[in-house]
Amino acid sequence: MPFDPDPVLHRVAEAVYSDPVQAEALLDQVETEVARRRDLTRLGRVSELRGELHLTQGRLHEAAAAFRSARRHWLAVGRPLDGLRALLGRAAVRLEFGDLGEVGRMLHDAQRGLADAQAADLGETVRLQAIVHLLAGRVAAGQGELASARSRYDLAEDLAVSVGDHRVAAHAVLERGAALVHAGLARRGRDELARAQRMFEELGWPRAATWATIIAAEAHAGCGDLGTAFSLLDAASASAHLQPVDRAYQHLVRAAVLVRAGLPGEAHGEAATAEQALGDLGMLERSAHAALLCATASLRLGRTDQAEVELSTAERLFAEC
């Protein structure tokens, strides 16, 4: 019986978020066959899924290359909507690099493309519009524009629900919760994060649910509930589903909680670990936040010279974003 790649690609799409090891093995299997057939349409899908897989693992340069490859394949076979989806994948990668200006330009191009393609496939167009609003919300949040970010997340959730894309809807709830936490509205953020966690659990994506748990720990710390924050971080650390990028962020959040708990020595160790790991992954903005936490901990330990060096490192990293 001839090999049919489509069922395998469907399994990969499910496994990217739940079982990345299986997803990578299946991608290797199907890519060999579709490359032999020179099937550019399915090669585009393979490249897109590989981009999503790399992105979830924090392998940003590999993710960017995979999304570029997917876009080339789909444009070559006259599938502009699929090409726009790959463009949005690249925009998500640039967000992790902290390049908000470039992401804004990509989203503008995507919006123009979606306006032209609306009649071709209304359902997919609406789904991609939801992703545009989700990413635009992250840009606004990164620029400190909380009201705009929340409006974008609301639109993303509503559009995603209207076409039955509960994954994008759950991510919109997660990002809205994170934005509220980072804006100092920890109690409201905590409720949104708990909702996001339930949504991811219902989708069968334990890794995303654990990510929500890590951010929820930050929210509980902001409410003064340090015991719950540490319990949540301990539960997240024990998860078998975390990738290196998740563990790096968990170190960052634990450092912030330890600072609040008045334990600067332990906080400095966690922050330094996070700074190194996030820097190695190319996530300069998050690495810069870790350097700031290092400086804060050093100041509380009375190490003013070291704190000055760490503040300079943070400034350099922010400038490089």
Side-chain angles (χ1 to χ4, degrees), residues 7 28 48 52 83 101 105-107 144 165 181 214 219-220 237 257 288:
D28 291 341
E48 179 192 24
E52 290 184 15
R105 287 187 286 273
M106 288 180 169
L107 295 181
D165 192 327
V181 171
I214 294 171
H220 279 278
S237 296
V257 176

Side-chain angles (χ1 to χ4, degrees), residues 83-219:
L84 287 173
R85 193 169 62 242
L87 176 63
L88 293 175
R90 285 182 56 210
V93 174
R94 296 312 308 175
L95 262 176
E96 296 301 333
F97 282 121
D99 192 352
L100 301 183
E102 178 63 19
V103 174
R105 287 187 286 273
M106 288 180 169
L107 295 181
H108 178 71
D109 290 345
Q111 283 280 39
R112 286 194 308 173
L114 288 171
D116 294 338
Q118 203 160 26
D121 185 337
L122 182 58
E124 179 65 1
T125 299
V126 170
R127 195 180 79 82
L128 293 182
Q129 286 173 337
I131 296 173
V132 168
H133 286 297
L134 177 63
L135 297 177
R138 290 185 61 189
V139 171
Q143 294 170 334
E145 300 169 0
L146 178 61
S148 176
R150 288 171 58 191
S151 175
R152 292 285 196 168
Y153 295 142
D154 291 346
L155 280 169
E157 183 184 5
D158 290 345
L159 289 170
V161 169
S162 75
V163 292
D165 192 327
H166 300 293
R167 177 180 71 87
V168 173
H171 277 289
V173 175
L174 174 69
E175 294 295 346
R176 186 166 55 229
L180 288 166
V181 171
H182 296 152
L185 302 172
R187 294 185 188 280
R188 294 169 64 185
R190 183 180 59 187
D191 295 340
E192 287 291 276
L193 292 166
R195 182 174 162 229
Q197 185 176 6
R198 291 193 299 271
M199 293 171 76
F200 284 125
E201 287 171 348
E202 290 169 2
L203 288 166
W205 289 345
R207 182 193 167 205
T210 303
W211 183 262
T213 299
I214 294 171
I215 303 174
E218 197 173 359

Side-chain angles (χ1 to χ4, degrees), residues 16-17 20 23-24 27 46-67 85-98 103 131 134-135 138 167 171 175 207 211 242-246 278 281-283 286:
V16 162
Y17 297 96
E24 190 147 26
L27 274 176
V46 167
S47 294
E48 179 192 24
L49 288 169
R50 203 174 286 283
E52 290 184 15
L53 182 62
H54 289 324
L55 179 57
T56 66
Q57 295 170 324
R59 292 150 63 181
L60 301 183
H61 293 290
E62 293 94 330
F67 284 125
R85 193 169 62 242
L87 176 63
L88 293 175
R90 285 182 56 210
V93 174
R94 296 312 308 175
L95 262 176
E96 296 301 333
F97 282 121
V103 174
I131 296 173
L134 177 63
L135 297 177
R138 290 185 61 189
R167 177 180 71 87
H171 277 289
E175 294 295 346
R207 182 193 167 205
W211 183 262
L242 293 186
Q243 296 294 313
V245 60
D246 309 322
L278 292 165
L281 290 167
M283 297 180 171
R286 291 181 181 177

